[in-house]
């Protein structure tokens, strides 16, 4: 067990996180899975523990003390961590910034920024112990590079993910620990349901008539990044569906 590779996944209860757990389990990696919804973690454990060892823990990444305690409580059999997948995150309030509650901005910052650094800081010692071949895969977004209406703090938080990943790379250059900002475009998960507070119609409208990425598409890229030869680091990987691209610049014009 000590030589078995171990992946630590935040936000493992749905979407990218759950698909990533399944992909790594198929390849024989041990799993440390966290998320806020314990019943979903338990169901995923029951599904996958016949293939690989699975450790689960309910966790809100915004709580730094809880993150430290959870990492400290990971059983010795699951140490050290080989790959960290910082997947926990969310978008809220797709309305224009001037119509958004400050609380929603704070929630995105606390989850997408503070949560990311809480988990990374807590797990760095184990990743450094693993050394060559260890990986940190941070889930960013095309919104961290390309602005669009309603992205306000969400896009800004994902720009933080990108720059934090780059800066971390600089600090870890001699350690063997790799860092990647993985930035998906349109992907059909629970993302829009969360963003619109359960508006199924809005979610269906976004994906209707096109072919978005799937959670499994992103999980496959995460697995690819984590299993590259130790001398290779992908700094940033931006992925869009072939039917998604950039729009022209918006121009505000006087009434005719």
């Amino acid at each position: 067990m000590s030589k078995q590779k171990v992946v630590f996944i935040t936000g493992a209860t749905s979407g990218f996180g759950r698909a990533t757990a399944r992909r790594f389990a198929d390849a024989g990696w041990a799993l440390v899975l966290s998320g806020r919804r314990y019943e979903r973690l338990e169901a995923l454990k029951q599904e996958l523990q016949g293939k690989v060892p699975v450790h689960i823990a309910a966790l809100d990444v915004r709580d730094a003390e809880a993150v430290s305690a959870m990492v400290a409580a990971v059983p010795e059999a699951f140490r050290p961590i080989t790959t960290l997948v910082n997947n926990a995150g969310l978008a809220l309030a797709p309305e224009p910034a001037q119509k958004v509650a400050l609380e929603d901005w704070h929630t995105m910052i606390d989850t997408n920024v503070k949560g990311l650094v809480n988990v990374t800081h807590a797990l760095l010692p184990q990743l450094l112990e693993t050394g060559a071949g260890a990986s940190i895969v941070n889930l960013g977004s095309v919104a961290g590079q390309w602005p669009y209406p309603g992205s306000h703090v969400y896009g800004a938080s994902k720009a933080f993910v990108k720059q934090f990943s780059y800066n971390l790379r600089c600090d870890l250059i001699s350690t063997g620990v790799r860092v990647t900002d993985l930035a998906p475009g349109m992907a059909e998960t629970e993302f829009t349901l969360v963003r619109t507070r359960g508006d199924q119609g809005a979610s269906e409208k976004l994906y209707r008539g096109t072919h978005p990425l799937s959670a499994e598409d992103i999980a496959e890229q995460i697995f690819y990044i984590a299993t590259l030869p130790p001398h290779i680091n992908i700094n940033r990987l931006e992925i869009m569906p072939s039917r998604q691209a950039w729009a022209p610049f918006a121009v505000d014009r006087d009434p005719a």
Side-chain angles (χ1 to χ4, degrees), residues 1 4 28-32 48-55 77-78:
M1 178 64 188
Q4 186 171 24
W29 287 52
L31 308 174
V32 178
L48 300 177
Q49 66 181 353
K51 296 181 179 180
V52 294
V54 182
H55 174 72
F78 291 85

Side-chain angles (χ1 to χ4, degrees), residues 104-138:
D104 287 339
W105 280 3
H106 285 177
T107 298
M108 287 186 280
I109 292 168
D110 288 345
T111 306
N112 300 351
V113 176
K114 291 184 179 179
L116 175 77
V117 300
N118 288 343
V119 176
T120 302
H121 190 270
L123 279 171
L124 266 177
Q126 290 194 47
L127 292 161
L128 291 168
E129 182 180 345
T130 297
S135 301
I136 300 171
V137 182
N138 294 326

Side-chain angles (χ1 to χ4, degrees), residues 138-159:
N138 294 326
L139 266 295
S141 169
V142 296
Q145 179 77 15
W146 310 107
Y148 62 86
S151 184
H152 39 79
V153 166
Y154 174 69
S157 72
K158 291 304 184 178

Side-chain angles (χ1 to χ4, degrees), residues 5 24 29 83 133 135 137 178 221-228:
K5 293 181 178 181
F24 278 81
W29 287 52
T83 292
S135 301
V137 182
R178 305 170 299 182
Q221 298 307 311
I222 293 170
F223 182 76
Y224 169 72
I225 291 166
T227 54
L228 284 168

Side-chain angles (χ1 to χ4, degrees), residues 17-98:
R18 183 166 58 192
T20 299
R22 289 168 174 159
R23 180 64 183 90
F24 278 81
D26 286 344
W29 287 52
L31 308 174
V32 178
L33 308 177
S34 69
R36 289 186 296 169
R37 293 170 286 190
Y38 185 80
E39 69 283 355
R40 288 198 179 190
L41 288 174
E42 183 61 40
L44 192 56
K45 179 179 180 179
Q46 293 300 319
E47 174 190 338
L48 300 177
Q49 66 181 353
K51 296 181 179 180
V52 294
V54 182
H55 174 72
I56 61 173
L59 180 67
D60 185 342
V61 297
R62 297 174 296 180
D63 186 336
E65 291 186 3
V67 169
S68 296
M70 183 265 179
V71 170
V74 171
E76 194 63 34
F78 291 85
R79 298 167 179 265
I81 300 298
T82 313
T83 292
L84 165 61
V85 180
N86 272 317
N87 170 69
L90 80 169
L92 295 172
E95 301 83 14
Q98 61 270 29

